[in-house]
Amino acid sequence: MAGQVNPDLGKERENASFNTQKLTNFLYGGAEKVRRRRYIESLAFSDPAYSSDEDPTFMSREEQYSSGLKRAVTMLQRVKELNIAEEDLDTYRSAALQGFGPGIGLHWVAFTPTIVQQATEEQKKKWLKPAQDVSIVGAYAQTEMGHGTFVRGLETTATYDPSTQEFVINSPTLTSTKWWPGGLGKTTNYATVMAQLYTQGKCYGPHNFMVQLRSLEDHQPCPGVTLGDIGPKMEGNGNDNGFARFDHVRIPRENMLMKFARVEPDGTYVQPPSSKLAYSNMVYLRGTFVMSAAYTLATAATIAVRYSCVRRQSEMKPGEPEPQILDYQTQQYKLFPQLAAAYAFWFAAQFMTQQHGTITGSMEKGDMSGLAELHALSAGLKSYTTAVMSGGIDVCRMACGGHGYSHASGLPALFGLGASLCTAEGENTVMMLQTARYLVKCFVQSQGGKTLTGTVAYLSAVQPSPVAGNKNMSDLGTLVAAFQHRAARMVRHAAMQMQNEMQKGKARADAWNSCSVLLIKAAEAHVHSFVVRNFAETVQTVEVDESIRAVLTSLCQLYSLYGITEHAGDFLMDGYLTGGDIDAASSHVSAMLARVRPDAVALVDAFDFHDKTLRSVLGRYDGRVYEHLYEWAKKSPLNKSEVHESYNKYLQPFLKSNRAKL
Amino acid sequence: MAGQVNPDLGKERENASFNTQKLTNFLYGGAEKVRRRRYIESLAFSDPAYSSDEDPTFMSREEQYSSGLKRAVTMLQRVKELNIAEEDLDTYRSAALQGFGPGIGLHWVAFTPTIVQQATEEQKKKWLKPAQDVSIVGAYAQTEMGHGTFVRGLETTATYDPSTQEFVINSPTLTSTKWWPGGLGKTTNYATVMAQLYTQGKCYGPHNFMVQLRSLEDHQPCPGVTLGDIGPKMEGNGNDNGFARFDHVRIPRENMLMKFARVEPDGTYVQPPSSKLAYSNMVYLRGTFVMSAAYTLATAATIAVRYSCVRRQSEMKPGEPEPQILDYQTQQYKLFPQLAAAYAFWFAAQFMTQQHGTITGSMEKGDMSGLAELHALSAGLKSYTTAVMSGGIDVCRMACGGHGYSHASGLPALFGLGASLCTAEGENTVMMLQTARYLVKCFVQSQGGKTLTGTVAYLSAVQPSPVAGNKNMSDLGTLVAAFQHRAARMVRHAAMQMQNEMQKGKARADAWNSCSVLLIKAAEAHVHSFVVRNFAETVQTVEVDESIRAVLTSLCQLYSLYGITEHAGDFLMDGYLTGGDIDAASSHVSAMLARVRPDAVALVDAFDFHDKTLRSVLGRYDGRVYEHLYEWAKKSPLNKSEVHESYNKYLQPFLKSNRAKL
């Protein structure tokens, strides 16, 4: 029987209305890229050095740390041996790490890129090669116990001493302790440390400094440096997220990363040329979060949709066999909106990548015009997509019933991973308020007669007075227009409310705060309308195949209509849509659930996630869930012995004494 | 400094508008009950046998299991030594276990109560005393790998053999493997096993059987029994949720729990007298889930509200000190609705307890009339409150930023615990559909002229045609009426839609399925309206104190108005509320956030959760968050040595070889 596919799942694949491989090619940008991706993955999957039997959920914290480090070191060696190309690195790394997220990962995700972006050419000569060759290993030490997203509030100081031409790195308070940086606890021997720069008696704000943390000989902390692990977290416990305290640690002046701002030997601070590059990097980084949101939600949807075709439960009609649980409308209503959102976010992330490329090109020619808009969109998109993804994973988990709660499903770990994206790299509410700030600015400009362009053009184009009337609620153009109307109305409403409050005498900051719930909702509506529009445009320009265009159109309709029914109040408020329109939307949602049902497995298969990437007994490609659930459970540490030692220690004496009293 | 309270938190307490102790007394049913509860807790908190330093989040799976078992055995001994009274048991147990949820817990939660409820007097003589004295230790083995909530689908068989007067317990398929029962893996030596009863060639459905699992001598599995742990889960890993397979295990006829149905020695099946008792027990059990939802959400709110008064971040006005994050409207909008929901659910749970008492009294007099209504309400309430609680904990966690993601916050574990309540004891969607089924039945009866009473009376009383006009959106009566109108409209809409589909020729089951999303939403609206009404009625009858009535009224308004703005579409659909009403509701929400702000800490203090129950560095009563975050982290297993052994094993050789190549 081994190797056979669960017949229910097999049938689903046979009955799909489109060619899965073609959709995969479309998602990844062409057949050649898919081939390449699979080839690179196979290098890791077939490598006996990466044992797929290792399961972090069976391990203690220390075992997770140790196994992750071992795996990462092997991976770094292989990258050199196999000469893995730059553009294949992400694929190879995740195929090799298979769910282990070691602290050393921050070395290539954050430490090395910081050198690339912020070091002078001379500094690069000194640190970039050792970093790239991994003869030093580094952390990116920004967040402190007392400050996260609000970087200006950091308390670590770097005070310049011209007499020795050194900076003194110091942690003046308990809350200034660096807290959270990945790999900082036990792994790294260097870090770029963000600190408030003081020179000539004046504070110039946060800057980055290269600081050695541990001896390259014996890995002991350098004098004045206190290091440690910050303790277990919701997920990611292979990572030694750490703390660091500095007691007047002296570093050479040249250890300040000086590509932009500089401090002269005499202590003179030299302003950086106004640079938008930092913003461009941030836009790029947030784009990767949108892609992560898409991937993570797609992973959860893959697991839950496949399992829902294998699982049969209850009785729909007396006397008939138990139906596949995906045949229940309530199950479809849980899962298909997540599936549709995964596609929507995938395309939104691709838009961000393309736009970032375009903007970077323009910036090199000196044209900064598109940056602010893209920056605002990226902040909101990061916030919106990660929030929807995090909630969506939990929906998928609960849709798998009790088994979704087991680590065998892979969903608890996926949720933990996804959840971290909501507070990391800019807390989501702060991010959304950045978008709101830009939108209010645009609205005011538009009021002043300026014509807006790009993703905010609709703010000035849409009419304030609603256009009621019977609408074709399955037409994508109608749906896009509805989302734009909603967003424009909400932006206007929030901005006007703020103006009202200021006219009544409130300070701008107080008015902003007391309208911030409205502002957040307006910004969410803006981002939502962008995702809908981008999805619709992507679908309308698919040139692959009519059957693929058809199924993606259904998904796009589902995503949009579901959004309308979930936020019906926003569309009904000013009568733009009527109760009848909402009822129609609701009926269309039901129709789209039924339309997507026979293609659901093919739609998740198209994401092309290997079983070793999914790491889910419930989501296996072959659908052989129950056999493997049993095999997986047998490996539980508690099953190493038939009678656990704690029985003899605690339970037996107790039971015996109670029996004796009978 | 030790013992001092964070000054920001101290100020909050000084400025509260009401007496916290009086509100605590109101919540727990009087000063004497509060005193008693604190006394019982103190017995455990002051007992050196329960070390408060033990933290499950620092432990491996095996250590969690072992420590939990040790703690539980100690607790069971103390209960006898201290002669803890029945009504104090829950308080003492949770104070003693402090977050350890051992598998043996199911012995007193499920195994012993099953004997009480389902055994004959003769059977009780045999098993109840050993169970109560814990000379045997049992599991409640119902759920199987292939079947959970749908009990009729269970596959384990109990086939009666009249020749030996035995039942043969068997697991005929892989999916019939008992899967999930707490304590079944390693701890228990007995279980009540739910199995399909076969006798005289006929299946009589699931019944409970007492089965010995392990030897009382050496704890080895009995012949024919295969046992094991099912592996790690999202949370609760001190519990050895287990599996069991039975290979034609023979048990005496007398081991069938025969209080209701019986099998005679010759194999004759004797029908149980129609008993509603099982329903009554289920109503009671679900009531405890509602109380758990209230407690758990209250715990999360306590942590997040206190931390939000200690945490200062960012800059609201240039040059001013960083504000407490609870001063941000966006933070209030996250936390106060959770706080209000915790109060709402607390009162809903108290209603359920009272009603269960009343109904039980009536049933004893032969009056079963109120049972169906309460049963339907309990299913929906269990589903609704656990779902809101689970999402609400995640909101609280994210509101604590990065630190919320650390196990130091206590929130990841709390979320894991809360999440389990959504799929345990009846999956939430199935539960809500039970409520929907009852509501549709009531609606049809009401159409037929029957006057409905109790919690569904409004279904026939509310007029179908909307009554538009300016409404006073801060009046509780207006808000209750709005929720009832919404629910009645949605129940009617779903029921009519179903009738339409059947008139078009759909089978009833298909019509039910294709309307099930509407049905779920209608049932949620019903439960929501009940919670609002019950909250309003509770508030209106508070006799404690004017200041307490005032603050609870504000919370009730917030809960109701927030619900209206979050579900605005439902109220706007038929014009019952207007866009202007929704705007007014939204403004009132802002006003209520500001109103609750100065009382927020006192409102969470009133829940009276001891620090040893909260188990959260962020939520400490004294607010000394940062000192204790540092102390907590130092205890991380990774900090036992300065240089972790895996450095020497993996990292050092790698770094050195890379350096050598330079």
Side-chain angles (χ1 to χ4, degrees):
Chain A
M1 293 285 280
Q4 273 193 9
V5 168
N6 172 294
D8 282 330
L9 212 45
K11 241 177 258 163
E12 298 286 340
R13 291 184 177 125
E14 282 164 24
N15 294 336
S17 73
F18 64 92
N19 180 311
T20 309
Q21 179 63 51
K22 281 191 188 168
L23 181 51
T24 302
N25 294 345
F26 178 67
L27 285 173
Y28 287 93
E32 173 49 29
K33 288 203 173 143
V34 172
R35 200 198 56 74
R36 177 98 195 143
R37 183 173 160 277
R38 288 182 186 162
Y39 166 72
I40 295 293
E41 284 189 337
S42 73
L43 294 178
F45 292 153
S46 62
D47 191 331
Y50 309 120
S51 164
S52 303
D53 284 343
E54 282 189 336
D55 185 334
T57 67
F58 289 137
M59 296 181 180
S60 72
R61 178 86 205 282
E62 287 193 81
E63 289 164 348
Q64 286 184 43
Y65 173 71
S66 192
S67 295
L69 186 60
K70 181 183 173 194
R71 195 175 270 264
V73 165
T74 306
M75 182 274 284
L76 291 166
Q77 280 166 331
R78 287 287 195 281
V79 163
K80 286 187 204 178
E81 290 161 14
L82 299 168
N83 212 2
I84 303 286
E86 181 75 24
E87 67 263 33
D88 296 323
L89 274 176
D90 280 348
T91 302
Y92 184 77
R93 280 174 190 148
S94 64
L97 294 177
Q98 289 172 34
F100 285 89
I104 198 175
L106 278 293
H107 174 79
W108 62 81
V109 168
F111 178 73
T112 311
T114 302
I115 300 174
V116 171
Q117 290 157 17
Q118 301 187 20
T120 63
E121 288 309 312
E122 218 175 308
Q123 290 177 320
K124 281 186 194 169
K125 271 178 207 148
K126 190 168 171 192
W127 293 311
L128 189 54
K129 196 157 160 43
Q132 285 171 337
D133 290 346
V134 202
S135 64
I136 61 173
V137 53
Y140 179 80
Q142 178 174 308
T143 299
E144 295 172 358
M145 199 187 251
H147 288 89
T149 303
F150 183 62
V151 179
R152 275 189 292 145
L154 294 175
E155 298 176 86
T156 303
T157 54
T159 309
Y160 186 63
D161 177 357
S163 72
T164 59
Q165 299 199 10
E166 288 171 322
F167 284 102
V168 182
I169 307 290
N170 194 43
S171 308
T173 59
L174 176 62
T175 47
S176 74
T177 308
K178 291 293 172 190
W179 202 267
W180 279 107
L184 183 64
K186 313 305 286 185
T187 310
T188 53
N189 49 29
Y190 269 84
T192 58
V193 174
M194 187 77 94
Q196 300 284 355
L197 190 164
Y198 283 85
T199 181
Q200 297 178 336
K202 205 178 148 191
C203 179
Y204 289 92
H207 290 70
N208 256 323
F209 300 85
M210 181 67 75
V211 181
Q212 185 174 349
L213 303 174
R214 289 180 180 270
S215 153
L216 300 190
E217 287 313 306
D218 60 7
H219 212 57
Q220 289 292 332
C222 295
V225 179
T226 308
L227 298 167
D229 173 76
I230 63 161
K233 299 135 293 183
M234 195 162 171
E235 251 317 307
N237 283 310
N239 190 330
D240 54 318
N241 296 81
F243 64 78
R245 291 187 55 77
F246 302 98
D247 182 8
H248 300 89
V249 173
R250 289 185 165 258
I251 57 169
R253 182 184 67 91
E254 294 81 5
N255 279 26
M256 173 178 165
L257 294 181
M258 294 213 244
K259 180 163 176 188
F260 304 111
R262 279 184 295 126
V263 168
E264 302 287 349
D266 68 351
T268 306
Y269 179 80
V270 181
Q271 285 271 16
S274 165
S275 167
K276 303 259 180 181
L277 194 71
Y279 279 95
S280 172
N281 285 334
M282 225 186 284
V283 168
Y284 178 77
L285 188 65
R286 288 177 189 161
T288 65
F289 269 68
V290 179
M291 201 29 140
S292 293
Y295 258 77
T296 317
L297 189 53
T299 304
T302 301
I303 294 168
V305 165
R306 286 185 186 157
Y307 175 64
S308 297
C309 290
V310 172
R311 181 78 168 179
R312 291 179 166 273
Q313 194 82 173
S314 198
E315 191 178 72
M316 210 181 283
K317 294 180 188 179
E320 291 196 4
E322 294 184 89
Q324 293 168 293
I325 59 174
L326 199 60
D327 286 338
Y328 291 101
Q329 191 192 46
T330 48
Q331 187 78 349
Q332 297 166 8
Y333 192 73
K334 289 175 193 175
L335 299 185
F336 295 168
Q338 312 312 326
L339 177 60
Y343 273 90
F345 297 170
W346 194 290
F347 298 135
Q350 288 181 332
F351 173 90
M352 292 305 290
T353 309
Q354 285 157 10
Q355 282 302 100
H356 182 258
T358 310
I359 291 278
T360 308
S362 306
M363 284 173 67
E364 280 163 6
K365 292 176 203 140
D367 173 11
M368 306 292 172
S369 60
L371 189 59
E373 180 199 330
L374 197 65
H375 179 255
L377 181 63
S378 73
L381 259 183
K382 183 268 177 188
S383 174
Y384 177 73
T385 59
T386 55
V388 172
M389 170 272 289
S390 174
I393 295 172
D394 207 38
V395 170
C396 291
R397 179 187 61 73
M398 286 192 282
C400 295
H403 292 327
Y405 192 75
S406 165
H407 272 300
S409 73
L411 291 165
L414 201 66
F415 178 75
L417 177 75
S420 72
L421 301 182
C422 296
T423 45
E425 289 299 327
E427 190 276 331
N428 272 357
T429 302
V430 178
M431 290 298 97
M432 200 54 98
L433 283 170
Q434 284 185 7
T435 306
R437 203 173 288 273
Y438 178 75
L439 292 173
V440 168
K441 200 175 116 195
C442 289
F443 172 77
V444 171
Q445 286 173 343
S446 156
Q447 293 287 84
K450 186 179 167 186
T451 304
L452 304 172
T453 58
T455 56
V456 290
Y458 73 91
L459 286 179
S460 46
V462 172
Q463 294 302 312
S465 57
V467 191
N470 272 350
K471 292 196 170 62
N472 177 357
M473 294 302 289
S474 59
D475 173 62
L476 287 186
T478 304
L479 300 177
V480 170
F483 273 94
Q484 292 191 334
H485 176 83
R486 167 198 182 217
R489 182 186 65 72
M490 290 172 76
V491 169
R492 185 185 318 116
H493 180 60
M496 306 269 281
Q497 184 86 6
M498 233 192 103
Q499 284 173 7
N500 283 346
E501 303 230 350
M502 290 196 298
Q503 275 161 11
K504 282 188 214 150
K506 261 194 191 169
R508 186 178 176 81
D510 293 323
W512 177 265
N513 190 31
S514 68
C515 293
S516 54
V517 169
L518 291 178
L519 288 160
I520 289 268
K521 290 188 176 184
E524 281 172 355
H526 166 70
V527 174
H528 200 167
S529 86
F530 164 77
V531 175
V532 166
R533 198 196 61 165
N534 183 66
F535 197 171
E537 286 177 357
T538 306
V539 164
Q540 280 154 356
T541 56
V542 174
E543 283 178 6
V544 189
D545 188 301
E546 203 42 55
S547 61
I548 287 179
R549 188 209 301 272
V551 72
L552 289 182
T553 302
S554 300
L555 270 189
C556 182
Q557 287 171 325
L558 175 60
Y559 179 74
S560 312
L561 290 161
Y562 177 80
I564 287 175
T565 56
E566 287 291 293
H567 300 276
D570 293 347
F571 297 88
L572 289 163
M573 276 291 286
D574 61 351
Y576 183 82
L577 294 185
T578 64
D581 293 330
I582 300 295
D583 274 337
S586 179
S587 297
H588 286 312
V589 166
S590 298
M592 287 305 115
L593 296 179
R595 163 70 186 86
V596 168
R597 168 65 189 87
D599 281 332
V601 168
L603 282 165
V604 301
D605 282 353
F607 292 128
D608 202 39
F609 296 137
H610 194 281
D611 276 352
K612 294 196 184 194
T613 306
L614 281 180
R615 294 184 303 283
S616 166
V617 175
L618 305 191
R620 295 171 58 89
Y621 184 83
D622 68 6
R624 300 179 71 79
V625 168
Y626 296 114
E627 300 93 307
H628 289 277
L629 200 54
Y630 200 56
E631 292 308 311
W632 182 85
K634 283 190 198 158
K635 290 185 276 184
S636 168
L638 280 178
N639 291 333
K640 278 184 293 190
S641 59
E642 183 61 61
V643 175
H644 196 261
E645 57 174 21
S646 55
Y647 166 77
N648 297 312
K649 276 165 82 176
Y650 308 122
L651 193 56
Q652 189 186 37
F654 178 63
L655 294 177
K656 286 225 162 143
S657 77
N658 293 336
R659 237 171 275 152
K661 287 177 206 145
L662 284 183
Chain B
M1 295 282 282
Q4 272 192 10
V5 169
N6 171 295
D8 282 330
L9 212 45
K11 240 177 258 163
E12 299 286 338
R13 291 183 176 126
E14 281 163 24
N15 294 336
S17 74
F18 64 92
N19 180 311
T20 309
Q21 179 63 51
K22 281 191 189 168
L23 180 52
T24 302
N25 295 345
F26 177 67
L27 285 173
Y28 287 91
E32 173 49 28
K33 289 203 172 143
V34 172
R35 199 199 56 74
R36 178 94 195 149
R37 184 173 159 276
R38 288 183 186 160
Y39 167 70
I40 295 292
E41 283 189 338
S42 75
L43 294 178
F45 293 153
S46 62
D47 191 331
Y50 311 119
S51 163
S52 304
D53 284 343
E54 282 189 336
D55 186 335
T57 68
F58 289 137
M59 295 182 182
S60 72
R61 178 84 205 284
E62 288 193 81
E63 288 164 348
Q64 286 184 43
Y65 173 72
S66 191
S67 295
L69 185 61
K70 181 183 174 193
R71 195 175 271 263
V73 164
T74 307
M75 182 273 284
L76 290 166
Q77 280 167 332
R78 287 286 194 281
V79 163
K80 288 186 203 179
E81 290 162 14
L82 299 168
N83 212 1
I84 303 286
E86 182 73 25
E87 68 263 30
D88 295 325
L89 274 177
D90 280 347
T91 302
Y92 184 78
R93 282 174 190 148
S94 64
L97 294 177
Q98 291 173 33
F100 285 88
I104 198 175
L106 279 293
H107 174 80
W108 62 80
V109 168
F111 177 74
T112 310
T114 301
I115 299 174
V116 171
Q117 290 156 19
Q118 301 186 21
T120 63
E121 289 309 313
E122 218 175 311
Q123 289 176 319
K124 281 186 195 168
K125 272 178 205 150
K126 189 168 174 193
W127 293 311
L128 189 55
K129 195 157 160 46
Q132 285 171 337
D133 289 347
V134 202
S135 64
I136 61 173
V137 54
Y140 179 80
Q142 176 175 309
T143 299
E144 296 173 359
M145 199 188 248
H147 288 88
T149 303
F150 183 60
V151 179
R152 275 189 292 143
L154 294 175
E155 297 175 85
T156 304
T157 54
T159 309
Y160 185 63
D161 177 356
S163 71
T164 59
Q165 300 198 12
E166 288 171 321
F167 285 101
V168 182
I169 307 289
N170 195 42
S171 309
T173 59
L174 176 62
T175 47
S176 74
T177 307
K178 291 292 172 190
W179 203 266
W180 279 107
L184 183 64
K186 313 305 287 184
T187 309
T188 53
N189 50 27
Y190 270 84
T192 57
V193 175
M194 187 77 94
Q196 300 285 355
L197 190 164
Y198 283 85
T199 181
Q200 298 177 335
K202 205 179 147 190
C203 179
Y204 289 91
H207 290 72
N208 256 322
F209 300 84
M210 181 68 75
V211 181
Q212 185 174 349
L213 303 174
R214 290 179 180 270
S215 152
L216 300 190
E217 287 313 306
D218 60 8
H219 212 56
Q220 289 293 330
C222 295
V225 179
T226 308
L227 297 166
D229 173 77
I230 63 160
K233 299 135 292 182
M234 195 161 172
E235 252 313 310
N237 283 308
N239 190 329
D240 54 320
N241 296 82
F243 64 80
R245 290 186 55 76
F246 301 99
D247 182 7
H248 300 90
V249 173
R250 290 186 163 256
I251 57 170
R253 182 184 68 90
E254 295 80 7
N255 278 27
M256 172 178 165
L257 295 181
M258 296 212 246
K259 179 162 176 188
F260 304 112
R262 279 184 296 127
V263 169
E264 302 288 349
D266 68 350
T268 305
Y269 179 79
V270 181
Q271 287 271 17
S274 165
S275 168
K276 304 259 180 182
L277 194 72
Y279 280 94
S280 172
N281 285 334
M282 226 187 281
V283 168
Y284 179 76
L285 187 65
R286 288 175 188 162
T288 66
F289 270 66
V290 179
M291 201 29 140
S292 293
Y295 258 78
T296 317
L297 189 53
T299 305
T302 302
I303 295 168
V305 165
R306 285 184 186 157
Y307 176 63
S308 297
C309 291
V310 172
R311 181 78 167 178
R312 291 179 167 273
Q313 194 81 172
S314 197
E315 191 178 75
M316 210 181 287
K317 295 182 186 178
E320 291 195 2
E322 294 184 88
Q324 292 168 293
I325 59 174
L326 199 60
D327 286 340
Y328 291 102
Q329 191 192 47
T330 50
Q331 187 78 350
Q332 296 166 9
Y333 192 72
K334 290 176 194 175
L335 299 185
F336 296 168
Q338 312 312 326
L339 177 60
Y343 273 89
F345 298 170
W346 194 291
F347 299 135
Q350 287 180 334
F351 172 90
M352 291 304 291
T353 309
Q354 285 157 10
Q355 282 302 102
H356 183 260
T358 309
I359 291 276
T360 308
S362 306
M363 282 172 69
E364 282 163 7
K365 292 176 204 141
D367 174 11
M368 307 292 171
S369 61
L371 188 59
E373 179 198 330
L374 197 64
H375 178 254
L377 181 63
S378 74
L381 259 183
K382 182 269 178 188
S383 174
Y384 177 74
T385 59
T386 56
V388 171
M389 169 272 288
S390 174
I393 295 172
D394 208 39
V395 170
C396 292
R397 180 187 60 74
M398 287 193 281
C400 295
H403 292 326
Y405 192 74
S406 166
H407 272 300
S409 72
L411 292 166
L414 201 66
F415 178 75
L417 177 75
S420 72
L421 301 182
C422 296
T423 46
E425 289 297 326
E427 191 274 333
N428 272 358
T429 302
V430 178
M431 289 300 97
M432 200 54 98
L433 283 171
Q434 285 186 7
T435 305
R437 203 172 290 271
Y438 178 76
L439 293 172
V440 169
K441 200 175 115 193
C442 289
F443 172 76
V444 171
Q445 288 173 340
S446 157
Q447 294 286 86
K450 185 177 168 187
T451 304
L452 304 172
T453 57
T455 57
V456 290
Y458 73 92
L459 286 178
S460 47
V462 171
Q463 294 301 310
S465 57
V467 191
N470 273 349
K471 294 198 168 61
N472 177 357
M473 294 302 290
S474 59
D475 173 62
L476 286 186
T478 304
L479 299 178
V480 170
F483 273 94
Q484 293 191 336
H485 176 83
R486 168 199 182 217
R489 182 186 65 71
M490 290 172 76
V491 169
R492 185 184 317 115
H493 180 60
M496 305 270 281
Q497 183 86 5
M498 235 192 102
Q499 283 173 7
N500 283 345
E501 303 229 350
M502 290 196 298
Q503 276 161 12
K504 283 188 214 149
K506 262 195 191 170
R508 188 178 174 83
D510 293 324
W512 177 265
N513 190 30
S514 68
C515 293
S516 55
V517 169
L518 291 178
L519 288 161
I520 289 267
K521 290 188 176 182
E524 282 172 355
H526 166 70
V527 175
H528 200 166
S529 85
F530 164 77
V531 176
V532 166
R533 197 196 62 166
N534 183 67
F535 196 170
E537 285 177 359
T538 306
V539 163
Q540 280 154 355
T541 56
V542 173
E543 283 177 8
V544 189
D545 188 302
E546 204 42 56
S547 61
I548 286 179
R549 187 206 302 270
V551 72
L552 289 183
T553 301
S554 301
L555 269 190
C556 182
Q557 287 171 325
L558 175 59
Y559 178 75
S560 312
L561 291 161
Y562 177 79
I564 287 176
T565 56
E566 287 292 292
H567 301 275
D570 292 347
F571 298 88
L572 288 164
M573 275 293 285
D574 63 351
Y576 183 82
L577 295 184
T578 64
D581 292 331
I582 300 295
D583 274 337
S586 178
S587 297
H588 286 312
V589 166
S590 298
M592 286 306 115
L593 296 179
R595 162 70 185 84
V596 169
R597 168 66 189 88
D599 281 332
V601 168
L603 282 166
V604 300
D605 283 353
F607 292 126
D608 202 40
F609 296 137
H610 194 280
D611 277 352
K612 294 196 183 194
T613 306
L614 281 180
R615 294 184 305 282
S616 167
V617 175
L618 305 190
R620 295 171 60 89
Y621 184 84
D622 68 6
R624 301 180 70 81
V625 169
Y626 296 115
E627 300 92 308
H628 289 276
L629 199 54
Y630 199 58
E631 292 309 311
W632 182 85
K634 282 190 198 160
K635 290 185 276 182
S636 169
L638 280 178
N639 291 332
K640 278 184 292 190
S641 59
E642 183 61 61
V643 176
H644 195 261
E645 56 174 22
S646 56
Y647 166 77
N648 297 311
K649 274 165 83 176
Y650 308 121
L651 194 56
Q652 188 185 39
F654 178 64
L655 294 176
K656 285 225 163 143
S657 77
N658 293 335
R659 236 171 275 150
K661 288 178 205 147
L662 283 184

